[in-house]
Amino acid sequence: MKAKYEPRIDLVNRTKLEKVIPLETPLVVFVDPSDACNFKCCFCPTSDRDLMKAVGRSWKQLPFDLFTKIADDMAAFPNKVEVLRLYKDGEPLLNKRLVDMIKYAKDVGASNRIDTTTNASLLTKEKGKAIADAGLDRINISVYGVNNEHYKNFSGVKLEFERVLANIRDFYEVRGNCEMLVKINGDTLTHEEKQMFLDYFGDHTDKIYIEHIMSCWPEFDLRGVGANSSKGIYGQEIKEVNACSYPFYSFSINSDGLVSVCFLDWGRKLIVGDVKTQSVQEVWNGKPMRAYRKMFLEGKRKQHQTCGNCGQMTHGQPDNIDPFKEQLLQKLNDIEYFKDVPPLEMKTEALKSIIPITLTS
């Protein structure tokens, strides 16, 4: 097998957040090209059409003119954003302007690197070459089985596995300088099926990994897919972290321009801004974002309706700033970072009712 067996998240060579907080410039900005997906995965809220209507998500594609505004804003940060992550809730390749987005972001210097995550069902050889030539630096490809039956049961779609296999192998041939990782959820596979996965893709990608199931969202039923009780998503020890690190180095821009404090905010309960009316910098430095950071440093996460039971805090958190909470809180209070930041509302509500409250800055 040519590929390195490594998870998509580097758990070793990470920035020590306790040494750089507060950041004038985020390390990672998620931007969702498409709120829609062509799969209906049992573990994903986006697959539930009725649920999406209930929370006000309308399966939008990010307009190109709004993306250029976002990219221009990002380029104006004091330092270069490390990663522009073109992915959040949907399938990025559904957006017909994805190639143009990658190229534009590269041209204006929006970030040091650009990556995305895809199910590869739409990753034709022509599309793959186009996104690689546009300057995509990394692609994470999610595989949902090793045969047609797996795909039908797990993804809710009738799809020929051979088509996915061909798409991935074709991209490997045209990827250029784009780093490539292929991953699969292994907890529902037999030992033989895991080996089949490695055999199918191990010579046709740069990195490969078998992940574990985790439940990110306490309010969403995984519908028969149980979270792994012994290992985290990347094979790490399960250990609860109280202070979420994500708001200190990243945030997520949804396809309609609303900004979520977290990339897991499928229900739009954690809205902190709107890049249609604010600059990306204004949202990053705004009071709503600071209120979340303050909540975590004050050890109040458990009191928050949405963040309190987040599975990411046990199965998927890549950083641990808990030992530095008091030190960081004192540091930020000393520089008046939290001055005039109102207490965060601990009870989250549906999208339409929360926007007027959380957009106050």
Side-chain angles (χ1 to χ4, degrees):
M1 184 174 76
K2 296 178 183 177
K4 294 180 180 179
Y5 189 76
E6 293 181 4
R8 55 192 156 113
I9 299 296
D10 186 347
L11 298 175
V12 179
N13 303 304
R14 298 184 64 79
T15 298
K16 294 186 180 301
L17 294 175
E18 65 273 13
K19 295 184 178 181
V20 297
I21 293 173
L23 286 163
E24 289 185 298
T25 303
L27 299 178
V28 180
V29 178
F30 287 78
V31 178
D32 200 0
S34 172
D35 193 36
C37 188
N38 59 334
F39 277 16
K40 302 176 183 178
C41 297
C42 56
F43 64 87
C44 181
T46 299
S47 67
D48 190 327
R49 274 51 167 181
D50 292 334
L51 181 60
M52 294 302 95
K53 290 180 181 178
V55 299
R57 280 178 52 185
S58 56
W59 277 34
K60 294 179 180 295
Q61 305 296 313
L62 177 65
F64 184 68
D65 59 347
L66 180 55
F67 177 80
T68 60
K69 189 263 186 190
I70 293 168
D72 290 342
D73 283 355
M74 289 177 58
F77 270 112
N79 302 301
K80 188 70 75 71
V81 174
E82 281 298 322
V83 181
L84 166 58
R85 187 147 290 154
L86 291 173
Y87 168 74
K88 185 176 178 284
D89 293 312
E91 169 52 50
L93 290 173
L94 283 174
N95 193 312
K96 295 180 180 179
R97 300 296 301 272
L98 181 64
V99 173
D100 298 326
M101 291 177 178
I102 296 169
K103 186 177 187 307
Y104 187 87
K106 279 289 182 181
D107 288 345
V108 301
S111 63
N112 285 327
R113 290 175 289 140
I114 302 174
D115 68 25
T116 192
T117 297
T118 176
N119 60 39
S121 64
L122 304 175
L123 189 65
T124 63
K125 192 169 187 177
E126 294 75 18
K127 177 67 75 172
K129 188 175 189 313
I131 61 175
D133 290 348
L136 187 69
D137 294 289
R138 178 183 170 115
I139 189 167
N140 300 308
I141 299 177
S142 300
V143 173
Y144 296 103
V146 293
N147 56 49
N148 295 351
E149 184 180 1
H150 284 170
Y151 265 82
K152 184 176 181 181
N153 293 338
F154 204 78
S155 303
V157 295
K158 187 176 181 180
L159 182 69
E160 293 292 331
F161 172 71
E162 291 295 329
R163 174 181 160 191
V164 175
L165 180 60
N167 285 351
I168 293 174
R169 289 182 173 182
D170 283 345
F171 183 78
Y172 184 67
E173 298 301 319
V174 300
R175 73 192 188 286
N177 295 322
C178 180
E179 183 183 40
M180 181 179 176
L181 179 141
V182 179
K183 61 186 179 68
I184 195 171
N185 189 306
D187 290 343
T188 60
L189 302 179
T190 65
H191 175 77
E192 291 75 15
E193 289 167 342
K194 292 177 184 178
Q195 188 59 53
M196 288 172 65
F197 166 73
L198 296 175
D199 291 342
Y200 280 139
F201 300 104
D203 289 332
H204 305 278
T205 184
D206 299 308
K207 295 182 179 180
I208 195 166
Y209 198 70
I210 299 174
E211 295 185 344
H212 299 284
I213 298 174
M214 62 173 287
S215 176
C216 305
W217 312 287
E219 71 274 32
F220 181 72
D221 182 4
L222 294 185
R223 292 176 282 187
V225 181
N228 192 299
S229 60
S230 60
K231 294 182 179 179
I233 187 172
Y234 311 117
Q236 78 275 34
E237 175 189 1
I238 293 177
K239 180 180 180 181
E240 184 165 21
V241 173
N242 190 35
C244 179
S245 64
Y246 293 128
F248 293 92
Y249 71 87
S250 70
F251 61 179
S252 302
I253 302 173
N254 298 298
S255 61
D256 58 0
L258 292 176
V259 183
S260 293
V261 73
C262 173
F263 68 95
L264 296 171
D265 184 27
W266 63 267
R268 308 299 189 261
K269 294 182 178 181
L270 309 175
I271 302 298
V272 291
D274 186 346
V275 295
K276 295 190 300 296
T277 58
Q278 298 171 279
S279 73
V280 174
Q281 299 96 311
E282 286 174 335
V283 179
W284 175 249
N285 294 310
K287 290 182 180 180
M289 279 296 295
R290 295 189 184 204
Y292 274 97
R293 295 166 188 149
K294 184 178 183 181
M295 175 189 75
F296 290 123
L297 292 183
E298 289 180 339
K300 297 179 179 179
R301 177 178 69 84
K302 288 287 190 179
Q303 301 172 33
H304 192 273
Q305 185 176 1
T306 297
C307 301
N309 295 312
C310 177
Q312 195 79 10
M313 297 299 96
T314 54
H315 285 65
Q317 183 65 217
D319 304 290
N320 183 5
I321 60 172
D322 281 0
F324 310 99
K325 283 190 303 182
E326 293 183 7
Q327 170 188 332
L328 289 171
L329 183 61
Q330 183 63 54
K331 173 184 177 181
L332 298 184
N333 280 331
D334 286 346
I335 63 174
E336 298 189 332
Y337 185 84
F338 293 132
K339 184 179 181 180
D340 299 326
V341 173
L344 191 67
E345 177 60 53
M346 293 297 167
K347 183 177 180 181
T348 58
E349 301 179 35
L351 171 68
K352 293 178 182 178
S353 61
I354 196 171
I355 290 176
I357 299 174
T358 53
L359 294 192
T360 303
S361 60

